[in-house]
Amino acid sequence: MRVRKLTFAALAVVAGLSLTACNGDDGAAQSDGAPASSASSSNTASGSAGSEQGGSKQGGSEEGDSEQSGGTDSAGGGSGTGAEGGNCRTDELEISATDTTITGDEKGSTAVTFKNGGGSDCTLPGYAGVDLKTNAGDLSAERSGEASDPMVLKSGESVSFGIFYPLNDSGGSGVRITDLVVTPPNETKSVTLVWPGAATLPVTDGSGTPVTVGPMGSAGQGGAS
């Protein structure tokens, strides 16, 4: 009996040790599983960070493209800015005058031509100034009142305007014209030309037809040529 009790006791100890060993293996397995889960989580976070970095780089590239496009637009705008010069200067214009009176006309007419010899485009912003020198003193032409919008006169091109005056049909000597003085629009320097038209104007008391000047393009072909 005593031997059987000892045998049972030994079996019980062996069983207990075996159970403890099994429990220890389970714990180790659980302990080993935890780091694996942690590593998996770490890999996911790293992948997410990489994705965000990739998106950031892509966004940076788009921003760079946008800046480059803006620079191109700016350069294009710069190259498209206006290249027209300022007002035509007297020294840059070749100025001439020609009689354009046609037989049977009620008025005499003279065409004054501006040719742009300055080498670059310039602007004629309105009426030219016209004065006639006569044996009775200087006579300033009046503007006809027609619209005179600013026009660009390209280098080498010409434009003409008309001077209109009453013909001396009175049979008298009239007022003798000696010279024609022309001042380009918005200029102060004048050019004196030989008067190409009729030699005299009728003598009036101021109530007669005045000498008038037309806008740019009011003689010749009606514009730049």
Side-chain angles (χ1 to χ4, degrees), residues 3-189:
V3 174
R4 292 175 99 184
K5 288 181 179 180
L6 290 174
T7 299
F8 286 135
L11 290 173
V13 170
V14 172
L17 290 174
S18 176
L19 181 60
T20 300
C22 290
N23 290 335
D25 292 342
D26 292 341
Q30 291 177 359
S31 176
D32 292 343
S37 175
S38 176
S40 176
S41 175
S42 176
N43 290 338
T44 302
S46 175
S48 175
S51 175
E52 290 176 357
Q53 290 176 357
S56 176
K57 289 181 180 178
Q58 183 178 1
S61 174
E62 290 175 354
E63 183 178 357
D65 293 343
S66 176
E67 291 177 356
Q68 184 177 2
S69 175
T72 301
D73 290 343
S74 177
S79 64
T81 52
E84 294 175 5
N87 292 339
C88 297
R89 314 302 296 182
T90 303
D91 292 337
E92 299 172 346
L93 295 171
E94 299 174 18
I95 305 175
S96 59
T98 305
D99 180 22
T100 54
T101 303
I102 298 176
T103 302
D105 284 353
E106 295 181 359
K107 292 182 179 181
S109 62
T110 293
V112 176
T113 300
F114 288 159
K115 182 176 181 180
N116 182 1
S120 60
D121 299 354
C122 62
T123 301
L124 293 169
Y127 281 83
V130 171
D131 295 285
L132 301 181
K133 288 185 175 294
T134 74
N135 62 343
D138 293 347
L139 175 65
S140 295
E142 300 179 6
R143 295 180 178 182
S144 64
E146 299 171 70
S148 179
D149 296 328
M151 65 169 295
V152 175
L153 186 61
K154 295 186 177 299
S155 177
E157 293 190 347
S158 302
V159 66
S160 300
F161 65 89
I163 301 171
F164 308 95
Y165 58 94
L167 296 172
N168 183 16
D169 297 328
S170 64
S173 60
V175 177
R176 184 168 56 88
I177 305 172
T178 58
D179 296 299
L180 167 64
V181 181
V182 178
T183 308
N186 281 13
E187 270 286 80
T188 56
K189 185 175 182 179

